[in-house]
Amino acid sequence: SYELTQPSSVSVSPGQTATISCSANALANQYAYWYQQKTGQAPVLVIYKDSERPSGIPERFSGSSSGTTATLTISGVQAEDEADYYCQSSDSSGIVFGGGTTLTVL
Amino acid sequence: QLHLQESGSGLVKPSETLSLTCAVSGGSLSSGGYSWTWIRQAPGRGLEWIGYIYHNGATYYNPSLKSRVTMSVDRSKNQFSLALMSVTAADTAVYYCARLVIASLHYHMDVWGKGTTVTVSS
């Protein structure tokens, strides 16, 4: 298996753009998925297959991937976006999560 | 709309077996293209994948937990279960069940239960 590396924390002011990275060599060949987890709640899928957005997820959430790094971008951050964000991928051994990034909206 | 609900023992003694069930409603456990998975989160920590099970009973476990984990499915009740043996305090966590979307070697969870807290303590 392998590790997905995320920054432990990101801080932005309301209305600004937040970017959260997720790195691993395996991402060159695997999709990245992103989950939002608010305090005391279950995770919610916000991006799948690197850049697809599930129905019901606001358009300000977007994803991209280049080489070994996937990126979650939240444009026009709102106070309600404050949460932990986890990237996830997979290989023949199973499912792997990044360590999580706490997004703080100042 | 698909709904998952975890239930089971909230307090387990060390060395005993943790047992949880996930009831699926609003859809069938046997739906094509999906499997069913368990994920846990220790207090203040990140997400850890435990394993998944197909509706036909085939299972795949996290190598780090494989020796202690058993998953099963009950199609008649539309539910699946997790058993984790020989628990220690390190197994204290919120346990989530989720629907797993599988396409080739690409996996992700699109629907999650709310989670259930399991504490290992004597």
Side-chain angles (χ1 to χ4, degrees):
Chain A
S1 193
Y2 57 92
E3 293 184 357
L4 296 171
T5 301
Q6 300 180 233
S8 58
S9 63
V10 169
S11 299
V12 295
S13 298
Q16 291 190 330
T17 296
T19 59
I20 300 173
S21 61
C22 175
S23 299
N25 288 337
L27 289 180
N29 302 302
Q30 291 287 336
Y31 288 124
Y33 304 83
W34 292 92
Y35 302 88
Q36 175 195 66
Q37 185 181 34
K38 296 183 178 179
T39 303
Q41 298 183 20
V44 172
L45 180 69
V46 294
I47 294 290
Y48 67 100
K49 288 187 178 180
D50 290 342
S51 60
E52 301 293 322
R53 193 174 53 250
S55 62
I57 300 300
E59 291 184 5
R60 63 180 182 274
F61 288 86
S62 63
S64 63
S65 185
S66 178
T68 60
T69 299
T71 302
L72 173 68
T73 301
I74 310 171
S75 303
V77 167
Q78 300 181 7
E80 66 194 50
D81 300 330
E82 189 162 278
D84 292 329
Y85 291 84
Y86 293 90
C87 63
Q88 175 253 308
S89 192
S90 55
D91 66 1
S92 57
S93 297
I95 294 164
V96 180
F97 289 99
T101 299
T102 298
L103 175 65
T104 300
V105 182
L106 301 171
Chain B
Q1 185 173 359
L2 192 74
H3 180 73
L4 305 179
Q5 179 67 60
E6 304 91 345
S7 63
S9 48
L11 179 63
V12 184
K13 290 182 169 57
S15 79
E16 295 189 344
T17 297
L18 176 162
S19 298
L20 298 174
T21 295
C22 181
V24 179
S25 58
S28 172
L29 203 63
S30 301
S31 297
Y34 301 110
S35 291
W36 306 91
T37 189
W38 289 96
I39 290 151
R40 70 180 182 178
Q41 186 172 34
R45 304 294 295 273
L47 301 169
E48 180 182 28
W49 170 66
I50 299 171
Y52 66 86
I53 185 167
Y54 285 104
H55 63 83
N56 63 4
T59 54
Y60 296 85
Y61 302 139
N62 185 326
S64 69
L65 297 169
K66 185 176 181 179
S67 63
R68 298 193 292 131
V69 173
T70 302
M71 293 183 184
S72 60
V73 63
D74 186 335
R75 288 187 292 276
S76 67
K77 294 183 178 179
N78 217 35
Q79 64 185 33
F80 60 104
S81 298
L82 167 70
L84 181 64
M85 302 179 295
S86 304
V87 297
T88 69
D91 295 310
T92 293
V94 176
Y95 285 74
Y96 296 100
C97 61
R99 186 173 73 174
L100 182 67
V101 179
I102 298 180
S104 299
L105 286 179
H106 306 291
Y107 309 76
H108 73 277
M109 288 65 66
D110 66 342
V111 180
W112 295 63
K114 291 187 175 181
T116 188
T117 299
V118 177
T119 301
V120 178
S121 175
S122 55

